[in-house]
Amino acid sequence: MDEALIRSLTPSVLTVLVRRGADFAAAEDAVQEALVEAVRGWPDDPPRDPKGWLVTVAWRRFLDAARADTARRRREDRVEEEPVPGPAPDVDDTLQLYFLCAHPSLTPSSAVALTLRAVGGLTTRQIAQAYLVPEATMAQRISRAKRTVSGVRFDRPGDVATVLRVLYLVFNEGYSGDVDLAAEAIRLTRQLAASVDHPEVAGLLALMLLHHARRAARTAPDGSLVPLAEQDRGRWDTASIAEGVRILQAALARDRLGEFQAQAAIAALHADAPTAGETDWVQIVEWYDELARLTDNPVVRLNRAVAVGEADGPRAGLAALAALDDALPRHTAVAAYLHERDGDLDTAARLYAEAAHKAPDLAERDHLTRQAARLNSRHR
């Protein structure tokens, strides 16, 4: 079965089951069983209505499980009837499902983790990396979230802030190239911006557009990473940049600053510079200060150290870096870059090689390995 088709149909099928009375955990299990059956049967006998087929099979699987579970016998009156055969309505329920998963009975962090796993399609490992926690810890968090919502009726949607956090993390995972979800995150954020008057929704949409505008220039033809300073700015999507800046300016004018607006402001300053050398690093540092005040996020402070190194010199950047935990992801890579800028090439080469071993993906590892090799080659 086509993976893109699974991704597009799964949220809608899951939403249908939840609306018909299935608790989230049981509905998710039933949908997964239907998908397995589709993988086995569709290649030889594809249905005319894939979504209707999945809804019918998943509902039957849920009914079978419900009847077998004595603790849920009281629900059988509500779930006894199968849906009427026929094509399912072609409605995009994905954004609504994001809100339903952000249930008030869950903490924001648990709601985000559950939604990323169940709806966003991310693996537990990917979610753990986004949260800077061990994979086993994240697996336990997701399991607890499923237990919490088991048996809960999804009639009280969660808040916008939690949904924004989910969309942001889905976009980041898609933008990394590991799972191509960036365009889907932008699509859903556009839907949200059209229905909710909230400056942080606009801030997130602007941030996504500004980052996505540079995507074509982020990799070379051989798939290797191209650092921001070396990217061909002629390949940037100027229409997306213009739209992102316009949305950001309107959001900032409302004087209700949030973290996504601050991040978008930083991205806009990068996009506005005709060349890397003309980047307004002083103003970028000021925006990182605002962002650190809003979030107190260690990754923000790590990125700020890079900006300080550009604005005030590499030694100032290294001083800012020294105040941070060296266990932070990409801490070693930042140290290598700043040491190279400071002229300590031996230390930089060693740190690049060390950072390569810690890299979260193959593309970044290869890039850091090449940086180390480039500096080491000067001795030959």
Side-chain angles (χ1 to χ4, degrees):
M1 179 166 41
D2 183 74
E3 182 180 346
L5 185 58
I6 294 176
R7 187 174 295 158
S8 64
L9 293 177
T10 299
S12 295
V13 176
L14 190 53
T15 301
V16 170
L17 266 66
V18 169
R19 284 175 173 172
R20 288 175 173 158
D23 68 71
F24 186 87
E28 185 185 15
D29 289 342
V31 172
Q32 291 302 318
E33 289 185 23
L35 293 175
V36 169
E37 189 166 334
V39 169
R40 294 172 179 165
W42 284 15
D44 297 326
D45 185 21
R48 285 179 295 180
D49 177 19
K51 179 180 174 181
W53 188 97
L54 285 172
V55 168
T56 300
V57 173
W59 188 250
R60 287 172 179 163
R61 294 294 177 271
F62 169 71
L63 289 177
D64 291 343
R67 293 188 183 106
D69 189 348
T70 56
R72 297 174 184 170
R73 297 246 178 228
R74 286 176 295 180
R75 299 186 193 179
E76 289 191 355
D77 288 342
R78 288 190 287 117
V79 299
E80 210 167 35
E81 296 295 328
E82 287 192 15
V84 176
D90 186 17
V91 178
D92 183 3
D93 297 310
T94 308
L95 188 58
Q96 182 180 9
L97 189 56
Y98 273 64
F99 272 97
L100 292 175
C101 288
H103 196 272
S105 64
L106 295 172
T107 64
S109 61
S110 294
V112 170
L114 177 63
T115 314
L116 289 172
R117 183 71 184 92
V119 187
L122 275 63
T123 66
T124 303
R125 176 184 60 81
Q126 290 166 331
I127 302 170
Q129 288 176 346
Y131 271 89
L132 308 181
V133 300
E135 184 174 349
T137 301
M138 183 53 64
Q140 292 174 354
R141 183 179 300 178
I142 293 172
S143 295
R144 285 196 300 270
K146 287 183 177 181
R147 287 196 299 270
T148 298
V149 299
S150 180
V152 171
R153 282 194 61 81
F154 281 70
D155 53 0
R156 292 185 299 152
D159 65 355
V160 173
T162 301
V163 174
L164 287 177
R165 177 63 50 190
V166 175
L167 290 169
Y168 174 63
L169 292 174
V170 169
F171 175 81
N172 279 345
E173 194 59 48
Y175 193 65
S176 74
D178 196 8
V179 178
D180 190 7
L181 296 173
E184 172 68 358
I186 292 174
R187 184 184 71 83
L188 293 173
T189 306
R190 284 191 187 278
Q191 285 187 9
L192 186 59
S195 61
V196 176
D197 183 22
H198 192 295
E200 273 294 81
V201 177
L204 179 58
L205 180 56
L207 175 62
M208 289 178 174
L209 290 170
L210 289 164
H211 276 305
H212 205 60
R214 303 199 302 259
R215 187 170 189 179
R218 291 183 71 245
T219 55
D222 62 359
S224 59
L225 291 180
V226 180
L228 176 60
E230 301 172 18
Q231 289 176 15
D232 177 1
R233 298 183 179 222
R235 299 184 65 196
W236 289 1
D237 183 346
T238 55
S240 291
I241 291 173
E243 182 186 6
V245 170
R246 184 173 66 252
I247 293 170
L248 172 63
Q249 289 173 338
L252 291 175
R254 301 177 65 176
D255 198 23
R256 291 170 55 192
L257 184 64
E259 64 173 295
F260 295 124
Q261 295 169 69
Q263 288 189 61
I266 294 168
L269 286 167
H270 283 298
D272 188 54
T275 66
E278 297 174 82
T279 303
D280 189 346
W281 286 106
V282 172
Q283 195 173 167
I284 286 176
V285 171
E286 293 174 355
W287 275 110
Y288 270 122
D289 289 338
E290 287 286 349
L291 189 55
R293 179 183 61 80
L294 290 166
T295 67
D296 195 29
N297 187 312
V299 176
V300 169
R301 297 188 182 280
L302 183 68
N303 292 331
R304 178 186 178 277
V306 176
V308 169
E310 300 289 352
D312 301 326
R315 295 195 178 181
L318 287 167
L321 187 66
L324 303 177
D325 185 352
D326 60 9
L328 276 173
R330 298 186 174 88
H331 184 285
T332 307
V334 170
Y337 173 74
L338 291 172
H339 276 291
E340 181 181 1
R341 291 273 327 277
D342 194 38
D344 187 353
L345 303 186
D346 289 331
T347 299
R350 175 178 57 79
L351 290 173
Y352 275 130
E354 183 181 331
H357 288 292
K358 302 176 181 177
D361 56 61
L362 181 60
E364 187 170 337
R365 185 187 71 189
D366 288 347
H367 170 72
L368 293 168
T369 300
R370 283 192 296 272
Q371 296 296 86
R374 173 177 56 81
L375 294 182
N376 285 326
S377 67
R378 75 191 191 284
H379 294 305
R380 297 172 186 171

